[in-house]
Amino acid sequence: MSALRSERVDPNAPLLGVEHLTMRFGGLVAIDDVSFDAEDKKITAIIGPNGAGKTTVFNCLTGFYKPTVGRLTLNHPRKGPYLLERMEGYQIPQKAAVARTFQNIRLFSQMSVLENLIVAQHNKLMEASAFTFAGLFGLPRYRHAEAEAVELARYWLNRVGLEDRADWDAGNLPYGDQRRLEIARSMCTEPVLLCLDEPAAGLNPRESADLNRLLTFIRDEHNIGLLLIEHDMSVVMEISDHIVVLDYGRKISDGNPDEVRNDPAVIRAYLGEEEDEELPPEVAEDLASDKSDKR
Amino acid sequence: MSTTGASMSDTAARPLDLPAVVKECGLTALVMFALAVGMVAFYTEDVPGGLEIATRFGAVVAVTLLGFFGRLAIVLLREGRPFPVLVVALPFTVLMLVALLSLNFFDAETAETLKNYLPVGDVVVNWIVVIMAGVFTLRAFWALRHTGASAKTVVDREKAMDNFAARVQRASRFIGPLLLGIAVVFPLLAFFPDSPFVPKVDRRLLDIAILVVTYVMLGWGLNIVVGLAGLLDLGYVAFYAVGAYSYALLATHYDLGFWVCLPFAGLMAATAGIILGFPVLRLRGDYLAIVTLGFGEMIRVILLNWYEFTNGPDGISGIPRPTFFGLPFSRSASDGGETFHGFFGLTYSPIDRIIFMYYVILALALITNLFTLRIRKLPIGRAWEALREDEIACRSLGMNPRNTKLTAFSIGAMFGGFAGSFFATRQGFISPESFTFVESAVILAVVVLGGFGSQIGVVLAAIILIGLPEFFRELQQYRMLAFGAAMVLIMIWRPSGLLAHREPTIRLWRERDGGPPEKTQAAEESA
Ligand SMILES: Nc1ncnc2c1ncn2[C@@H]1O[C@H](COP(=O)(O)OP(=O)(O)OP(=O)(O)O)[C@@H](O)[C@H]1O
Ligand SMILES: [Mg+2]
């Protein structure tokens, strides 16, 4: 599972390079010329107010949207560079090994927890079952592959503390467990880049501390890059190595947590623009307090 | 109207909101009236010199009143006042029962005049009314006996039903082989000498059994598409037709036998599945349903109009019957060869062929079942179920949704094709009339009633929906009515189907030595 860095095609290229990414929906510019890099073995956070375009960046990266303009390069440590914007949606996780989770959890809720993790290893198992024929006749090759898949699932279940509930229907898990299961499921695809869309949303402080530990564990022990969208600043500031700030689809800041925290542009974006002064003072005040609440 | 979701607990003391009740019942009566005026009030009658429109306004009044009082009974039961319901419904039930049963004791003429005094003109409909009144009576009685006991909520009931289905599914380890044993042994009873202890198995019963098993097979085939992959296919009969015509054309043009053609027919149907599926499988839910419905009709229209190829509405006749390893089931072989009874030194009996047919379709159905049970535990089967749950999540895991759906669609089609070629060989004659939309609807109804993904549920539903109406041939004209009623009831009562329950295809903890003991799902849920 460790990255064989020596075989990497270009050892100096970042794991993910986003260049001039622009996404328009009709007249609406959701992302406007955004460029940033995400490194191997680092947690890169994308933050910004609601509607800033964070999820849209993920959707472009994982092939759900075709970017209007821009180049998205993923340098797979073993297999070389992929141009994500040219790939079919389902090929990005399959070939380029980019996995993601969703802002509103998307589990297979009527299937068991274990099955969720086995489905995540679909491509590997399909090959082992010789596209069903070997599986149909129960050949040993397939049986071994399935046992291995279960072992990988068990490993991640153990990591997220769900081993006991492996046979539950995923939909019956409490909310926090569902979030962690979704992370475990995307890790079962054995990605090189994991994109997490607000993994701490709706978690209580204890759960969110657990989440911090899980994410740093993934970064340190599995040597992959993480891309993290998060509103919870306690998570972001504590574990990120690098933060990208978006506002109205534009990148307004980029750097390590301390730099970003003290960047006047970021403070302005979160606390309100100067233009607010043109509004009646009460309204501006309301707006400002409203926005700061969201932090 | 707040007609649903009223809980029954502590409603007994609440005063009745009379205007609201009258309004609710009146509205029901109005709907019934409107429907009855359109559907019951006028009918055509044969008179010397042509047809004449006759009326039966009495029936309209009766239907409207029944609607009003039926709704009133429902409302009263809901509001926790069973007593007046009992007082009215019990005598009504008894009176009607007596009246209906006594009809048999009079000569035809008296009975005919007596019938005029029944609320509705038709005896069968009267029976339905009696049964409903009886149900009200029983429910009122039950409510009186169990005052204070709060009624089960919808969630409770759903859980209880699911538990029941789970138990059936676990028991199907025993029920399955038992049913199979019965299915295998029962046609042999035809050879039993007449005796009062053994049910009589004759040709009619065997024909019904063949029909039921054919629908079981079709249900299982469609269950792959609808139950597992969640693709609502309203045109399944198209593949049934492709299979039937493939066999019929190959057999009549090239003189090929059933067993040679069977794989071809399956292949053709699967190919049709891929061709039809390719452009439409990007659609979801209702849209897919509409398009498949259209495709089903298209195939039928093509069969009807491509006269040179399919012989159009005249159909194809003289389709050869299957042989037993080359031994035909006829009185004498056409080309001087050996026949089945000749080879085994039996006396010729036409029922041999019927029994053989029965075993053929039973074997085909079992293959479908085994295939489904097996593939559910393979990556492709799990992928189908995952697609049903969430296509977007599937894509994010690197699964190719289109190809995965196509496999489900074409494999389901293949089994439809097998069943189709069996249909052709059984009938010996096929025409486009056999492959109408109603056929698709019936197959889907079998799956829906039995429960999506429930193999044993499909058997049960096929027996109920296909077998029973065949037995009660006299009630044939009410078949669609019963169908509709069954569908409405299942949608109210348990939309996922009678025996729908999903067991995980793989477990980390074994069920018996139950992994982490006190942490089973059921235990924690009830806590
Ligand atoms: N498919 C789409 N069609 C049209 N507009 C879209 C689409 N997807 C996103 N948008 C718009 O793009 C903008 C950015 O949305 P996005 O979901 O990326 O925001 P976000 O930063 O993830 O916000 P949040 O913090 O609320 O999740 C919004 O104005 C949204 O309405
Ligand atoms: Mg978002």
Side-chain angles (χ1 to χ4, degrees):
Chain A
M1 231 170 279
S2 66
L4 303 168
R5 290 204 62 126
S6 54
E7 283 177 38
R8 192 162 163 166
V9 175
D10 177 2
N12 295 320
L15 177 63
L16 172 76
V18 174
E19 294 160 82
H20 306 293
L21 177 64
T22 301
M23 183 76 220
R24 285 197 205 98
F25 297 107
L28 180 100
V29 185
I31 313 174
D32 188 4
D33 195 23
V34 168
S35 305
F36 66 92
D37 291 341
E39 299 283 338
D40 220 359
K41 301 184 199 174
K42 292 253 164 69
I43 295 179
T44 306
I46 303 180
I47 64 171
N50 290 105
K54 306 180 294 294
T55 302
T56 307
V57 171
F58 269 26
N59 283 337
C60 291
L61 276 177
T62 48
F64 284 92
Y65 297 156
K66 280 261 170 285
T68 319
V69 182
R71 169 184 284 228
L72 307 165
T73 319
L74 186 108
N75 289 296
H76 193 290
R78 291 171 298 267
K79 296 197 269 179
Y82 286 99
L83 294 177
L84 301 183
E85 79 278 6
R86 298 195 187 162
M87 293 169 72
E88 280 275 341
Y90 68 91
Q91 285 180 334
I92 292 176
Q94 189 183 19
K95 300 230 166 80
V98 177
R100 74 171 288 184
T101 66
F102 294 88
Q103 189 165 353
N104 39 358
I105 308 174
R106 285 184 174 275
L107 290 172
F108 307 125
S109 47
Q110 309 232 9
M111 300 176 82
S112 79
V113 169
L114 179 62
E115 283 173 317
N116 269 270
L117 302 190
I118 301 284
V119 169
Q121 304 173 52
H122 176 73
N123 289 313
K124 202 171 68 183
L125 286 172
M126 270 309 263
E127 225 167 277
S129 77
F131 300 91
T132 305
F133 296 108
L136 217 49
F137 302 108
L139 297 189
R141 178 162 84 117
Y142 172 67
R143 287 209 307 270
H144 289 314
E146 196 186 58
E148 258 169 46
V150 171
E151 274 322 299
L152 182 63
R154 189 198 292 274
Y155 170 83
W156 280 110
L157 283 175
N158 197 322
R159 271 290 138 212
V160 299
L162 286 173
E163 208 178 352
D164 284 352
R165 302 178 186 179
D167 298 330
W168 282 40
D169 282 357
N172 287 342
L173 290 177
Y175 187 80
D177 290 345
Q178 294 198 8
R179 281 246 174 250
R180 271 177 297 143
L181 175 60
E182 208 189 10
I183 296 174
R185 186 179 68 181
S186 41
M187 282 312 291
C188 277
T189 64
E190 299 172 88
V192 296
L193 175 68
L194 175 63
C195 308
L196 300 162
D197 199 343
E198 304 200 15
L203 300 190
N204 63 36
R206 195 176 55 83
E207 287 173 325
S208 113
D210 282 346
L211 179 75
N212 281 359
R213 239 167 292 136
L214 176 67
L215 297 188
T216 44
F217 167 83
I218 291 175
R219 172 190 62 188
D220 299 337
E221 302 299 320
H222 286 268
N223 298 322
I224 67 172
L226 281 88
L227 207 54
L228 171 72
I229 295 177
E230 192 44 74
H231 281 294
D232 184 340
M233 287 304 150
S234 71
V235 175
V236 173
M237 292 301 167
E238 200 179 317
I239 65 172
S240 317
D241 304 296
H242 172 194
I243 298 179
V244 177
V245 190
L246 298 184
D247 189 23
Y248 294 111
R250 249 164 293 160
K251 184 170 91 172
I252 55 169
S253 182
D254 188 345
N256 67 33
D258 277 332
E259 289 164 10
V260 165
R261 207 196 316 253
N262 300 319
D263 188 335
V266 177
I267 296 168
R268 216 169 29 243
Y270 271 83
L271 293 182
E273 304 266 6
E274 256 102 352
E275 288 136 38
D276 285 357
E277 258 129 46
E278 290 162 23
L279 296 168
E282 324 75 87
V283 180
E285 233 166 73
D286 267 6
L287 265 176
S289 64
D290 206 39
K291 282 196 179 162
S292 60
D293 279 350
K294 280 190 188 130
R295 289 182 65 175
Chain B
M1 277 204 313
S2 59
T3 55
T4 51
S7 85
M8 276 175 115
S9 52
D10 70 34
T11 44
R14 204 167 65 197
L16 217 52
D17 182 1
L18 212 58
V21 171
V22 172
K23 187 176 156 208
E24 188 180 333
C25 300
L27 217 66
T28 310
L30 196 70
V31 172
M32 292 294 272
F33 175 76
L35 289 175
V37 164
M39 291 163 39
V40 182
F42 304 98
Y43 65 107
T44 52
E45 212 171 26
D46 266 324
V47 292
L51 288 175
E52 203 165 71
I53 290 183
T55 57
R56 41 186 172 193
F57 289 119
V60 175
V61 174
V63 164
T64 311
L65 284 179
L66 282 174
F68 186 87
F69 286 108
R71 186 83 206 193
L72 189 62
I74 292 176
V75 171
L76 287 176
L77 283 174
R78 190 180 72 211
E79 301 292 326
R81 285 158 200 274
F83 191 66
V85 178
L86 190 65
V87 168
V88 179
L90 185 62
F92 181 78
T93 314
V94 174
L95 220 74
M96 287 275 293
L97 265 181
V98 171
L100 281 171
L101 290 175
S102 62
L103 276 183
N104 298 333
F105 297 109
F106 295 104
D107 57 296
E109 208 172 314
T110 333
E112 208 52 47
T113 40
L114 274 179
K115 270 188 200 164
N116 289 334
Y117 293 98
L118 291 171
V120 199
D122 192 289
V123 178
V124 175
V125 181
N126 278 312
W127 273 110
I128 296 173
V129 171
V130 177
I131 290 169
M132 286 178 66
V135 169
F136 283 135
T137 312
L138 288 178
R139 277 191 58 178
F141 191 67
W142 194 86
L144 276 179
R145 289 285 305 274
H146 299 261
T147 42
S150 63
K152 279 187 173 179
T153 65
V154 179
V155 181
D156 282 341
R157 195 177 58 196
E158 180 58 36
K159 202 171 273 173
M161 289 286 296
D162 190 66
N163 274 341
F164 176 71
R167 233 173 299 147
V168 170
Q169 204 150 91
R170 236 160 279 149
S172 67
R173 226 171 292 158
F174 314 107
I175 299 176
L178 188 74
L179 278 180
L180 179 60
I182 295 174
V184 170
V185 172
F186 115 93
L188 300 178
L189 296 180
F191 299 120
F192 233 67
D194 274 344
S195 96
F197 303 109
V198 181
K200 188 158 163 39
V201 174
D202 53 8
R203 192 185 158 142
R204 185 169 110 89
L205 190 65
L206 279 169
D207 273 335
I208 294 176
I210 290 176
L211 196 67
V212 169
V213 180
T214 310
Y215 276 94
V216 168
M217 172 167 181
L218 285 168
W220 279 340
L222 185 61
N223 218 348
I224 295 176
V225 185
V226 181
L228 288 185
L231 305 167
L232 186 49
D233 182 358
L234 290 183
Y236 193 60
V237 76
F239 307 122
Y240 192 45
V242 169
Y245 270 85
S246 301
Y247 170 56
L249 290 171
L250 283 172
T252 50
H253 284 289
Y254 299 104
D255 232 8
L256 296 173
F258 177 71
W259 297 108
V260 180
C261 294
L262 188 66
F264 278 112
L267 210 66
M268 297 288 266
T271 312
I274 290 175
I275 293 171
L276 296 192
F278 199 76
V280 304
L281 281 179
R282 72 185 65 215
L283 301 174
R284 268 181 238 179
D286 309 347
Y287 303 102
L288 180 67
I290 292 167
V291 175
T292 51
L293 186 144
F295 270 131
E297 284 301 283
M298 265 167 64
I299 294 262
R300 191 177 64 83
V301 172
I302 289 173
L303 293 177
L304 205 56
N305 289 293
W306 195 359
Y307 200 88
E308 305 76 46
F309 187 56
T310 64
N311 214 16
D314 302 339
I316 301 173
S317 53
I319 302 168
R321 309 292 189 166
T323 57
F324 183 80
F325 296 105
L327 300 172
F329 286 87
S330 48
R331 189 176 289 281
S332 58
S334 50
D335 43 8
E338 194 76 86
T339 61
F340 178 77
H341 65 95
F343 187 80
F344 289 98
L346 307 166
T347 50
Y348 173 73
S349 148
I351 207 160
D352 286 353
R353 189 173 60 79
I354 311 290
I355 292 176
F356 178 63
M357 287 286 193
Y358 173 81
Y359 281 125
V360 169
I361 187 65
L362 189 65
L364 287 175
L366 282 177
I367 289 171
T368 315
N369 186 30
L370 287 179
F371 181 87
T372 311
L373 291 181
R374 183 103 194 99
I375 205 151
R376 222 174 75 90
K377 296 190 185 331
L378 290 179
I380 186 76
R382 294 200 188 105
W384 291 340
E385 292 201 75
L387 267 183
R388 177 194 66 200
E389 299 285 303
D390 195 325
E391 187 175 333
I392 289 178
C394 282
R395 267 215 284 170
S396 81
L397 297 173
M399 188 187 295
N400 182 339
R402 203 189 48 207
N403 289 0
T404 312
K405 281 188 193 175
L406 265 183
T407 53
F409 209 63
S410 61
I411 288 176
M414 181 180 75
F415 286 113
F418 288 151
S421 48
F422 174 79
F423 175 78
T425 194
R426 180 179 88 108
Q427 300 281 332
F429 166 78
I430 51 170
S431 76
E433 285 317 297
S434 311
F435 307 105
T436 54
F437 167 68
V438 172
E439 211 60 25
S440 288
V442 169
I443 303 167
L444 189 66
V446 166
V447 175
V448 170
L449 186 69
F452 292 122
S454 167
Q455 299 295 90
I456 221 159
V458 166
V459 177
L460 185 75
I463 292 173
I464 294 175
L465 289 183
I466 311 296
L468 289 187
E470 287 296 319
F471 268 109
F472 301 104
R473 262 288 157 95
E474 317 79 67
L475 304 184
Q476 198 62 326
Q477 57 170 319
Y478 298 99
R479 191 169 156 198
M480 279 298 145
L481 191 70
F483 247 71
M487 287 300 111
V488 170
L489 283 182
I490 198 80
M491 282 306 135
I492 293 171
W493 199 41
R494 190 147 200 259
S496 49
L498 279 181
L499 291 180
H501 169 76
R502 190 179 177 283
E503 278 291 313
T505 57
I506 187 169
R507 285 177 174 276
L508 199 59
W509 308 106
R510 241 183 270 134
E511 223 170 327
R512 292 272 171 258
D513 44 69
E518 72 286 3
K519 278 210 168 171
T520 58
Q521 185 168 345
E524 207 146 311
E525 266 172 11
S526 60

